[in-house]
Amino acid sequence: MENKQLSEKESLQLIAQMIQQTQYRLAKNAGTPFLIWGYMTAILSLVIWLLIRETANPQWNFLWFLLPAVCYPVTIYISRRNEQMIKTYIDRIIGQVWTVFGIAGILISGISMFLWHIPILFIILLLMGMGTALSGMIIKFRILAICGILGSLLSIGCLIIKGADQLPFFAIVFLIMMVIPGHALNHMAAKMSAA
């Protein structure tokens, strides 16, 4: 294969094409994981909130560990079930963004549960909002970026609302931050497939 130097215009066209391919691929493959994580987090938040309100037992918070135990395998299964496409550099960047934010979220959750009480719901909303916003900015998908920024900004509500009553607010913010972009991504994929 011949090494050919690309002109500035050709380089910009190649980058634009990679972003467009990633937008299509993310729309096709990542809308569903946003929905899985968004809906599961919202539902689990409300279940834990109801259980804590009924029993006054904060031990129900250990149910949070169901979230990665359920969502990771389902997300992996769905991503493997979808058709395989060549991964671009931008796909790898998005994957690395979510790996970093996911590991940070799990570590901070563990620290909050077992070592040191910190405002975990605030921190999780802030982290996941930033991950969502970064993903939207990288692929130039405005709804994803706006919902992520909004989620990060709304995280402050978890510092204002006290106790278990943070959980319904947390659920609402997760719906805004993950479910709206997930449906928007799937809608964009449907439009692109029809075109």
Side-chain angles (χ1 to χ4, degrees), residues 26 72 87-104 128 130-131 134-135 138:
L26 279 176
Y72 275 126
K87 282 194 165 205
T88 66
Y89 180 69
I90 293 171
D91 293 323
R92 286 190 290 277
I93 290 172
I94 297 291
Q96 290 167 349
V97 163
W98 282 107
T99 298
V100 168
F101 281 103
I103 290 170
M128 297 305 115
M130 289 188 307
L134 276 172
S135 297
I138 290 167

Side-chain angles (χ1 to χ4, degrees), residues 4-15:
K4 178 186 170 193
Q5 292 285 45
L6 297 176
S7 71
E8 186 177 324
K9 183 178 178 182
E10 290 171 328
S11 294
L12 290 173
Q13 286 175 336
L14 181 62
I15 292 168

Side-chain angles (χ1 to χ4, degrees), residues 14-149:
L14 181 62
I15 292 168
Q17 182 183 12
M18 284 173 55
I19 290 171
Q20 188 175 23
Q21 286 173 350
T22 301
Q23 283 177 327
Y24 174 71
R25 193 167 19 265
L26 279 176
K28 190 171 184 183
N29 297 327
T32 302
F34 272 91
L35 296 174
I36 291 166
W37 285 88
Y39 280 124
M40 180 67 176
T41 302
I43 290 166
L44 192 57
S45 299
L46 295 175
V47 167
I48 292 170
W49 175 65
L50 289 171
L51 290 170
I52 290 173
R53 281 187 59 132
E54 291 299 314
T55 66
N57 184 353
Q59 297 295 318
W60 289 111
N61 279 307
F62 285 103
L63 287 176
W64 284 113
F65 291 107
L66 283 174
L67 192 62
V70 172
C71 291
Y72 275 126
V74 172
T75 303
I76 290 168
Y77 171 77
I78 287 173
S79 68
R80 287 187 180 160
R81 194 182 69 181
N82 289 329
E83 63 184 281
Q84 297 296 317
M85 295 183 186
I86 297 170
K87 282 194 165 205
T88 66
Y89 180 69
I90 293 171
D91 293 323
R92 286 190 290 277
I93 290 172
I94 297 291
Q96 290 167 349
V97 163
W98 282 107
T99 298
V100 168
F101 281 103
I103 290 170
I106 290 170
L107 286 175
I108 291 170
S109 297
I111 289 168
S112 177
M113 289 283 231
F114 300 111
L115 298 175
W116 175 34
H117 180 71
I118 53 178
I120 188 62
L121 298 179
F122 161 73
I123 293 170
I124 293 297
L125 284 179
L126 186 63
L127 283 173
M128 297 305 115
M130 289 188 307
T132 302
L134 276 172
S135 297
M137 290 173 190
I138 290 167
I139 66 165
K140 297 181 180 181
F141 192 66
R142 187 170 288 156
I143 293 171
L144 195 59
I146 290 170
C147 288
I149 291 167

